[in-house]
Amino acid sequence: DARVTQTPRHKVTEMGQEVTMRCQPILGHNTVFWYRQTMMQGLELLAYFRNRAPLDDSGMPKDRFSAEMPDATLATLKIQPSEPRDSAVYFCASGLSQLDTQYFGPGTRLTVL
Amino acid sequence: QKEVEQDPGPLSVPEGAIVSLNCTYSNSAFQYFMWYRQYSRKGPELLMYTYSSGNKEDGRFTAQVDKSSKYISLFIRDSQPSDSATYLCAMRYYGGSQGNLIFGKGTKLSVKP
C-alpha cells in the first residue's frame, strides 16, 4: 500500500526555534508538493519539485522557509526562525507529474508558541 | 476576489439525504476540476476528477461542471455517516508552470444517523 509519509506528525515549539518537517513521497513519483492548511486561508501551495529540482516556490516566505529534496526519497521543509503565525498543518503530496493526481500525506501539525 | 470560492458550511444532513456541494471560480482559464475529501486529522484524497462541462458519475457521487457559469458541484446520493468529512474543490490551468492546483477552503459535511 503505497503512501506518502510525513514526520513528525505533531510538533510544538517556541517562537524562534528551527523546525524541520520531512516527507517520503511514493516510490516512483517524481513530483513533490508542499502545502500549508489553516482555517483562515485553507490549503495553500508553498513549493513544488520535479525530479528533485524546485519548479515553483513563490508561495513560500523566502526569508524563513526553505524546501529541499536531498534525494528522491526525501523532501524537507524547514522554518528558521519559526513564528506563531506559522502554526498550521503542513502537507506533503506526490505525483507522477505536476499534472497527475496528487497523493497527500497525513500532515504535520505545527504549533509555534 | 479569490479565484475559487466555496461555502465553508458546516452542512448537516440526515442519513440518506442528497447532498449538494458547490464552488464558483473567477478565471475561465481553469480547465481541470477536482473534488477532494478530507477526513478529520487526515490528508485530502482525490474523489472525483473532470475536465469537461457536464456530469460525471461514480457510484453515489456525481460531479457537475458548468464552465459558462464558472460553477462546479458535487452531489452525494443516499448520504452515509461515513461521508462526514470536509470536501474541497480544486482546479487548475492547463500545463506548464501553471499546473499546480488552486483549492477552495472546503465545506464541512456532517451526515447524522
Side-chain angles (χ1 to χ4, degrees):
Chain A
D1 185 20
R3 297 185 186 192
V4 175
T5 58
Q6 290 186 249
T7 57
R9 293 294 311 277
H10 300 90
K11 176 73 176 179
V12 180
T13 190
E14 292 188 345
M15 182 173 63
Q17 297 298 305
E18 178 179 300
V19 175
T20 298
M21 291 169 269
R22 294 176 174 80
C23 166
Q24 182 172 12
I26 293 173
L27 191 64
H29 284 187
N30 64 10
T31 309
V32 175
F33 305 81
W34 281 106
Y35 290 89
R36 175 172 61 186
Q37 187 175 42
T38 61
M39 290 291 291
M40 289 297 293
Q41 299 298 327
L43 201 59
E44 301 174 291
L45 180 70
L46 296 174
Y48 71 99
F49 293 76
R50 185 179 181 195
N51 293 326
R52 297 174 55 200
L55 284 191
D56 186 353
D57 61 1
S58 59
M60 205 163 65
K62 301 289 193 309
D63 56 337
R64 299 184 299 108
F65 284 60
S66 61
E68 295 179 341
M69 280 201 74
D71 61 61
T73 65
L74 176 65
T76 62
L77 179 67
K78 189 175 295 186
I79 308 174
Q80 168 64 21
S82 58
E83 297 181 2
R85 59 180 167 152
D86 301 327
S87 297
V89 183
Y90 290 81
F91 288 103
C92 172
S94 72
L96 289 171
S97 76
Q98 65 195 76
L99 302 181
D100 192 38
T101 300
Q102 296 182 25
Y103 296 85
F104 283 77
T108 294
R109 185 172 295 271
L110 174 66
T111 302
V112 183
L113 303 174
Chain B
Q1 181 190 9
K2 282 219 150 226
E3 283 191 284
V4 180
E5 300 277 1
Q6 185 176 10
D7 187 335
L11 182 62
S12 183
V13 302
E15 183 175 353
I18 296 175
V19 176
S20 173
L21 304 166
N22 310 294
C23 285
T24 58
Y25 60 97
S26 57
N27 194 329
S28 57
F30 285 129
Q31 295 193 21
Y32 298 90
F33 305 91
M34 282 136 275
W35 286 95
Y36 279 78
R37 179 175 59 195
Q38 185 176 18
Y39 290 115
S40 180
R41 306 275 175 163
K42 303 285 187 184
E45 57 178 340
L46 182 66
L47 194 59
M48 298 282 286
Y49 170 89
T50 185
Y51 55 86
S52 58
S53 283
N55 294 351
K56 181 178 181 179
E57 194 171 311
D58 184 1
R60 295 184 297 109
F61 298 89
T62 299
Q64 186 177 82
V65 175
D66 183 347
K67 289 187 178 180
S68 62
S69 300
K70 298 191 186 69
Y71 189 88
I72 67 171
S73 299
L74 177 70
F75 298 97
I76 307 174
R77 289 185 301 279
D78 187 24
S79 57
Q80 303 294 310
S82 58
D83 295 327
S84 298
T86 297
Y87 290 80
L88 301 103
C89 63
M91 48 198 78
R92 66 167 182 239
Y93 312 100
Y94 175 78
S97 63
Q98 297 173 317
N100 47 298
L101 295 177
I102 308 296
F103 284 87
K105 287 190 180 180
T107 300
K108 187 171 184 178
L109 171 68
S110 178
V111 181
K112 304 294 186 184

